Amino acid sequence: MKRALLLLALIAAPVAADPSTPPAALANTQLRDPAQEAKARDLMATLRCLVCQGQSIADSDASMAGDMRAFVRSRIAAGETPESIRAWLIERYGDYVSYDPPLGAATWPLWLAPIALLVVGAVIARSSFRRRRR
């Protein structure tokens, strides 16, 4: 009986995680001004969805990404610059919200990890090729 309840809870968990509230007004609606929409789209493509983390907020279906799209569009429509909107989002959510975080004490691992992985891969490949020659 306990296993059946646990299995039911595991199956029902994703359904319960889906928000029941409707998306924000500008989450899936483009701005009327094509120039403003282009600015908003360019900015949204550079911001990371904090829920899915592998997609930009422009591509994500997560409700939080929809809220962030609505926020960006409303601020662009109000006349704010994309740079000030990005700065506000970084201040609120941290550098991770941007696909291009600045080099700093908290983000240096993000910048150095690819280089370190390439060096480790080269060392492993070199030692593997040396063993094969012998």
Side-chain angles (χ1 to χ4, degrees), residues 1 4 10 23 42 45-46 52-53 63 73 79 88 90 93 95 105 109:
M1 181 67 176
L10 289 174
D42 290 344
T46 65
C52 18
Q53 298 178 358
S63 62
R73 283 186 174 124
W88 188 88
I90 289 173
Y93 297 112
D95 289 327

Side-chain angles (χ1 to χ4, degrees), residues 55-113:
Q55 295 178 309
S56 69
I57 64 170
D59 299 329
S60 175
D61 290 332
S63 62
M64 183 170 188
D67 292 342
M68 291 173 76
R69 284 192 304 270
F71 173 78
V72 167
R73 283 186 174 124
S74 66
R75 292 285 180 105
I76 291 285
E80 283 192 47
T81 64
E83 295 80 23
S84 67
I85 298 168
R86 172 191 298 284
W88 188 88
L89 287 168
I90 289 173
E91 182 182 323
R92 175 156 184 158
Y93 297 112
D95 289 327
Y96 190 74
V97 76
S98 174
Y99 274 120
D100 189 21
L103 183 58
T107 60
W108 70 265
L110 293 173
W111 289 97
L112 295 180

